[in-house]
Amino acid sequence: MDKPSTDLPVAFTLNGSAAATESRIGERLSHTLRERLDQRDVKIGCNAGDCGACTVLVDGEPVCACLMATPQANGRSVETLAGLVKADPDARRLAESFQAHAAAQCGICTPGMMVTAVALLRRLPEPTAAEVEEALGGVLCRCTGYRKIIDAVCDAGRGVWPEPPDTGRVGAPIRKLDGLAKVSGQEVFSDDIAPGDTLVLRVLRSPHARAGFRFGDLEAFVAETDGIETVLTAADVPGQNLYGVIPGFIDQPVFAETEARFRGEAVAAVIGTAQAMQAFDMQSFPVTWEPLPAAEGISAALAPNAPQLHADRSGNIMCKGLVQCGNADTALQEADVTAEGEFTTSYVEHGYIEPEAAYAYLEEGRIVIHAGTQAPVMNRESMALILGWDEARVRIAPTAVGGGFGSKLDLSIQPLVALGAVKTGRPVRATYSRTESMQSTTKRHPAQIAVRIGAKADGTLCGMDFTGQFNTGAYASWGPTVANRVPVHASGPYRLTDYCAKSTAVYTNGPPSGAFRGFGVPQSAIAQESLFDELAAQLGMDALEFRIRNALTAGQPTVCGQVFEQGVGIKACLEALRPAWSESRARAEAFNAQAEAEQTPLRLGVGVAAGWYGCGNTSLPNPSTIKAGLRADGSVVLHQGAMDIGQGANTVIAQIFAEALGLPVHEMQLIGADTDITPDGGKTSASRQTFVSGNAARLSGEALRRQILVMVNASEDAGLAIDGGRIIVTDAGQTHEIDLAKLAPDEDGYVLRACETYDPPTRPLDENGQGIPYAQFGYAAHLAEVEVDLALGTVKARKFTAAHDLGQAINPLLVEGQVQGGIAQGLGMALMEEYLPGRTENLHDYLIPTTGDMPPVDTLIIEDPDAHGPYGAKGLGEHVLIPTAPAILNAIAHASGVRIRQVPATPSVVRAALREAGHD
Ligand code: FES
């Protein structure tokens, strides 16, 4: 039984209408709006005023609703995005402009951004970019890099924004097909779907990096605690209490059984009524902890007497990777110059604004799970094993995803709510707090890298030896992928005939490291691209020209012996940077000369770096399937199961399908991912969706088109149009009609249908890492201009120029958004982001870039068509981040003369390096 309610009445005006409800003493306005008044367009990202996602207007002023106690709103006017877009002219202009600029990617920050922008436009009808930057400085976005948001707000003020093209063909910068829901507050994210009276689950987590634990009397605890229905422990897992993503490395328990292996690991869960759980104090849970010596970090885990995390892996070594060709040692001995160094990188948190949330219930003997995920079919497979059920009894129906960047590939909260629903027989929901999300979900692998690279006097690369150790944390997650992928990529996109790269993934008592944009390649690129600058300097060569000289070209083998006959666009990317490189260098020279003359501490520096990334799984099957159908009424339905996590898959894949079919993209009806109704689009990871699912969409479009053309014996060049229930085929001056009503519908109601699969052609790597790991690579080169304060050690990015070879830009508007967002994450990794368990577990101690950190980005699109990509297109998602951090480090060195070999290069790190170099 719940205790009698202590709720107090409260009344205010909500979006122009009277609202009356109750609230507890100290209840957050955000909670009241969402849970009592069903105003779920108000998003919660941190509950601490750090992210601004919950921004609403109170008497016209923007406030974080999570920081306002509900009684403070009594008698006042509260406005949220959903209300504003219905009537407020500024909000309506913002909604148009945000769509025109694709300023909403995942969309979870969009309500907070737009509400804050409404307040600005009311105060300053035509703000400058600097004014927008300042006004939005308290609202975080992890996807966009802010520049498109700033442009959108400026244009909304002016009342003019780019008009969409009248074609939706491949190459057209159309608006996102799913953009309207995101700018109107209608998008349903993972915490928006459960009814308010659903049972709530909360998790008991280890406060120690390693600890044994004992539970007290759980039955008595449940019986004696008001409103608590049950608890869950490992004993409640009916199937296998393990999950993971790589066969042979399935090692993470849903609940720890005898020992917690990292701070934040789940050991039990409590389920109760929403009212009871709002007041529940986890300190009352009957558990006794026994802290144990922990292996925190790679060195500690490899020490002779280190605790063994997993008995079946000797010495805490999870796995190793190797690629070698030629003879690196001999080549390095014969080199005219060599550069070498040791580099370290830290845990990096994904920092999506939407913490994990999920809702599960039983339906006709099956479990239905709603959550944000990047891999619905993989989730279903894992959930079936955990429950001990047949897969057919598991339905994953994803919600919109408020940012993923790799971490939402793994299961996290889903098994908990599902086990809760099975045990109670009732629907169960859960939402991680920001701290829980940061403590318990995967991170970017911290790395320790040692590299030696040589070159001949003419600037030709001559030998490279690379060794990387990667901290995979307590469980494997995507660690094996990182260990395999890094040696393939550590050369960078350059011609190297003598090469040896070894990687080791090491278990530690840290949070599991997993997938995060680049799978270890951003870490290796920092080392390799930094040493390239040192080699160029030793040779007296220009750093950009040194790279152009060594850039891989079509017909040359990669370090894996793979030869691409076309589509190797790295040289073109680097060459495209030449004008900006010259301008920026000249600007820096003039700036620094003046600074030295005036004895001021600021210096300007310019750095360049390149990167490449193989799209899709490494040497493994990687299929996607796309289904489409035509109904008798003429509607064209696309079953698009490739998760759109903000990057734009819904739009890009529809554009490819429409191009292949030969009908306008706006005639497509999209059915999103749901394991019951969409075939497997594979996981959204490894920059594979445009390439792999895009090809499946192309094949489906072509197959549907062929069926139509055959029906009227028309040629390949025929034009198609749909007029109600008729298809009009125009061919060689003749017009044919197909009356769809005369065709028999199938079980799905389709009179014509296609379902096609694409799997990239790869081959396994041999014992030396030789083979065909990927069917395609994408290429990138970034130029960074930064200002360094020699007195303070602070670094401020001033400008980026980013050249990307995408083969074919399916939608250039979305390309720009991806590039800008990736650069913002690369900037964070380079300068500020470091996850430290127990110390940076929230968004005020863990810093991610804000509007003020992100300078303008000039995006240069290179199109060197890929032989396998749909219409020549290549993936982009990971590539956008890889060159950013090394370009920044090279720019810091250019500005200050100091080389930084660890990230993040925080002011204290830079200042220490400056002091060591003699700057007082
Ligand atoms: Fe801003 Fe995703 S669009 S957080």
Side-chain angles (χ1 to χ4, degrees):
M1 282 283 291
D2 283 353
K3 281 182 181 163
S5 171
T6 53
D7 297 354
L8 301 169
V10 60
F12 49 85
T13 303
L14 177 59
N15 291 326
S17 301
T21 183
E22 296 179 320
S23 85
R24 292 202 165 174
I25 294 168
E27 182 171 306
R28 301 169 193 272
L29 178 60
S30 50
H31 180 89
T32 307
L33 289 170
R34 286 180 55 84
E35 301 303 328
R36 297 181 189 264
L37 297 168
D38 207 26
Q39 202 68 48
R40 300 233 171 146
D41 56 312
V42 178
K43 306 305 178 191
I44 295 177
C46 66
N47 261 338
D50 296 318
C51 75
C54 63
T55 302
V56 299
L57 299 183
V58 177
D59 290 343
E61 289 298 318
V63 301
C64 284
C66 72
L67 293 185
M68 178 177 258
T70 304
Q72 288 181 279
N74 227 339
R76 300 170 77 178
S77 164
V78 177
E79 294 169 283
T80 73
L81 178 64
L84 287 164
V85 289
K86 285 191 183 136
D88 183 275
D90 290 324
R92 294 177 81 87
R93 282 199 299 276
L94 282 165
E96 278 299 308
S97 189
F98 262 59
Q99 289 183 83
H101 285 278
Q105 288 191 17
C106 80
I108 192 75
C109 72
T110 308
M113 285 287 180
M114 288 180 61
V115 168
T116 308
V118 167
L120 173 68
L121 293 180
R122 286 178 182 174
R123 183 165 54 83
L124 278 176
E126 289 193 37
T128 64
E131 288 165 339
V132 176
E133 198 174 293
E134 190 181 337
L136 299 184
V139 189
L140 296 178
C141 174
R142 191 58 158 168
C143 298
T144 64
Y146 301 105
R147 303 311 306 184
K148 289 199 172 290
I149 291 173
I150 293 168
D151 291 346
V153 177
C154 289
D155 279 2
R158 284 192 289 271
V160 181
W161 42 80
E163 285 301 319
D166 53 10
T167 165
R169 301 196 65 129
V170 160
I174 63 169
R175 295 179 174 191
K176 292 179 75 152
L177 299 180
D178 53 5
L180 182 60
K182 297 175 195 295
V183 300
S184 59
Q186 301 304 311
E187 188 70 286
V188 177
F189 293 93
S190 55
D191 197 34
D192 300 339
I193 193 164
D197 59 355
T198 308
L199 290 177
V200 171
L201 176 149
R202 283 178 52 195
V203 185
L204 175 70
R205 299 184 181 281
S206 170
H208 305 288
R210 181 170 171 241
F213 56 90
R214 275 180 295 109
F215 296 127
D217 187 339
L218 297 181
E219 279 185 26
F221 165 72
V222 172
E224 292 165 8
T225 312
D226 288 336
I228 300 302
E229 292 286 320
T230 192
V231 297
L232 299 175
T233 67
D236 294 297
V237 181
Q240 70 175 35
N241 183 28
L242 286 175
Y243 64 94
V245 288
I246 307 286
F249 295 90
I250 308 298
D251 60 8
Q252 182 161 4
V254 178
F255 295 110
E257 296 187 2
T258 55
E259 178 181 310
R261 295 185 175 96
F262 71 97
R263 175 182 164 87
E265 180 162 15
V267 299
V270 183
I271 298 173
T273 63
Q275 193 181 27
M277 295 310 289
Q278 192 183 354
F280 178 72
D281 179 1
M282 195 57 87
Q283 294 295 326
S284 65
F285 193 95
V287 62
T288 308
W289 299 102
E290 182 196 352
L292 297 168
E296 295 187 75
I298 293 172
S299 303
L302 295 179
N305 296 319
Q308 291 298 293
L309 274 96
H310 299 274
D312 57 342
R313 311 276 178 197
S314 76
N316 286 326
I317 291 177
M318 182 179 64
C319 65
K320 297 187 173 193
L322 168 71
V323 170
Q324 60 182 347
C325 62
N327 189 322
D329 285 343
T330 304
L332 284 164
Q333 282 166 18
E334 292 170 356
D336 292 317
V337 294
T338 59
E340 60 188 305
E342 294 183 2
F343 297 79
T344 59
T345 72
S346 57
Y347 271 123
V348 183
E349 157 67 20
H350 295 75
Y352 28 74
I353 305 303
E354 177 202 37
E356 291 72 11
Y359 170 52
Y361 51 89
L362 295 168
E363 188 175 75
E364 297 176 357
R366 303 172 74 213
I367 188 81
V368 181
I369 304 170
H370 299 282
T373 177
Q374 296 177 236
V377 173
M378 281 176 67
N379 286 178
R380 181 180 63 182
E381 292 164 2
S382 296
M383 282 308 312
L385 292 172
I386 290 167
L387 292 170
W389 291 4
D390 190 277
E391 272 180 36
R393 291 180 64 196
V394 180
R395 177 184 174 195
I396 306 290
T399 62
V401 183
F405 316 117
S407 187
K408 289 178 184 170
L409 287 162
D410 299 58
L411 285 179
S412 56
I413 200 167
Q414 298 95 327
L416 307 177
V417 289
L419 291 167
V422 169
K423 185 167 184 184
T424 63
R426 293 165 61 186
V428 173
R429 70 186 288 198
T431 310
Y432 284 178
S433 69
R434 172 57 55 182
T435 294
E436 282 185 289
S437 173
M438 294 180 75
Q439 283 181 342
S440 67
T441 63
T442 62
K443 308 277 169 281
R444 181 181 296 289
H445 284 70
Q448 294 177 3
I449 294 171
V451 190
R452 188 163 180 242
I453 314 177
K456 290 291 193 185
D458 67 357
T460 307
L461 285 170
C462 175
M464 174 169 173
D465 187 76
F466 173 101
T467 308
Q469 293 177 327
F470 292 81
N471 176 351
T472 205
Y475 300 108
S477 182
W478 296 91
T481 306
V482 168
N484 289 330
R485 196 175 264 275
V486 165
V488 174
H489 289 80
S491 63
Y494 302 99
R495 174 75 179 121
L496 265 159
T497 52
D498 299 282
Y499 173 81
C500 180
K502 297 175 184 156
S503 62
T504 307
V506 181
Y507 283 120
T508 69
N509 287 113
S513 301
F516 190 172
R517 250 179 167 162
F519 285 96
V521 181
Q523 294 95 307
S524 66
I526 284 172
Q528 168 259 314
E529 287 289 330
S530 294
L531 293 187
F532 269 33
D533 261 26
E534 293 187 34
L535 283 172
Q538 287 185 52
L539 292 165
M541 284 185 71
D542 177 273
L544 177 61
E545 297 305 324
F546 176 76
R547 287 171 171 83
I548 290 171
R549 178 183 187 86
N550 288 292
L552 197 68
T553 59
Q556 293 181 331
T558 68
V559 292
C560 293
Q562 184 174 10
V563 177
F564 289 92
E565 297 301 336
Q566 67 177 85
V568 183
I570 184 56
K571 198 166 186 177
C573 287
L574 289 162
E575 287 172 343
L577 293 182
R578 274 187 179 131
W581 177 250
S582 301
E583 278 170 35
S584 291
R585 286 253 159 175
R587 189 162 43 241
E589 204 174 311
F591 182 95
N592 293 340
Q594 188 176 349
E596 275 170 32
E598 296 173 358
Q599 296 192 329
T600 54
L602 295 185
R603 295 290 183 276
L604 207 55
V606 188
V608 66
W612 65 336
Y613 191 82
C615 302
N617 288 353
T618 311
S619 291
L620 287 171
N622 195 199
S624 277
T625 302
I626 295 281
K627 172 173 138 183
L630 227 79
R631 293 210 176 98
D633 65 1
S635 51
V636 187
V637 183
L638 183 61
H639 292 247
Q640 205 296 86
M643 284 303 299
D644 191 324
I645 58 172
Q647 85 280 30
N650 283 339
T651 306
V652 165
I653 289 171
Q655 278 183 269
I656 292 170
F657 172 76
E659 177 83 29
L661 177 58
L663 284 170
V665 70
H666 292 102
E667 292 196 9
M668 309 300 147
Q669 292 178 14
L670 284 184
I671 291 183
D674 181 328
T675 55
D676 270 14
I677 52 177
T678 43
D680 185 6
K683 59 194 188 298
T684 292
S685 91
S687 302
R688 63 177 293 285
Q689 292 299 21
T690 297
F691 168 38
V692 184
S693 295
N695 258 329
R698 175 182 60 81
L699 292 170
S700 288
E702 288 171 354
L704 208 51
R705 178 179 173 83
R706 263 197 309 276
Q707 291 175 45
I708 293 167
L709 298 182
V710 164
M711 290 174 80
V712 293
N713 201 21
S715 77
E716 277 290 311
D717 298 330
L720 303 188
I722 291 196
D723 181 10
R726 299 174 307 150
I727 302 179
I728 315 294
V729 183
T730 310
D731 184 32
Q734 286 194 315
T735 300
H736 311 273
E737 279 189 24
I738 300 172
D739 184 351
L740 295 171
K742 290 189 175 153
L743 304 177
D746 66 10
E747 68 278 8
D748 291 332
Y750 297 134
V751 294
L752 292 172
R753 66 186 284 144
C755 186
E756 298 290 333
T757 298
Y758 179 79
D759 194 6
T762 62
R763 280 218 306 271
L765 299 177
D766 67 16
E767 68 277 9
N768 288 315
Q770 300 297 294
I772 298 185
Y774 310 104
Q776 71 166 212
F777 281 80
Y779 302 88
H782 289 182
L783 187 155
E785 194 174 309
V786 307
E787 202 173 83
V788 179
D789 188 320
L790 301 180
L792 301 174
T794 52
V795 178
K796 172 93 181 147
R798 288 292 174 207
K799 188 185 175 202
F800 287 99
T801 308
H804 283 265
D805 170 29
L806 324 145
Q808 161 72 57
I810 303 295
N811 184 323
L813 178 65
L814 304 189
V815 166
E816 287 176 1
Q818 282 290 288
V819 171
Q820 293 173 7
I823 285 177
Q825 291 185 354
L827 182 152
M829 179 186 179
L831 297 180
M832 63 187 78
E833 298 190 34
E834 182 171 21
Y835 177 75
L836 298 165
R839 288 171 56 192
T840 59
E841 296 174 338
N842 54 61
L843 291 175
H844 52 264
D845 294 313
Y846 185 92
L847 301 178
I848 67 172
T850 68
T851 53
D853 295 307
M854 258 307 281
V857 177
D858 196 3
T859 303
L860 310 175
I861 294 177
I862 308 296
E863 295 181 316
D864 191 344
D866 180 75
H868 299 288
Y871 305 103
K874 303 168 184 171
L876 179 67
E878 334 275 318
H879 313 72
V880 291
L881 181 145
I882 291 165
T884 310
I888 289 172
L889 295 183
N890 287 338
I892 293 172
H894 179 232
S896 66
V898 167
R899 286 243 150 241
I900 308 292
R901 295 193 171 180
Q902 74 181 84
V903 290
T906 58
S908 62
V909 168
V910 175
R911 188 69 196 109
L914 285 165
R915 236 187 334 263
E916 202 172 306
H919 292 271
D920 289 329

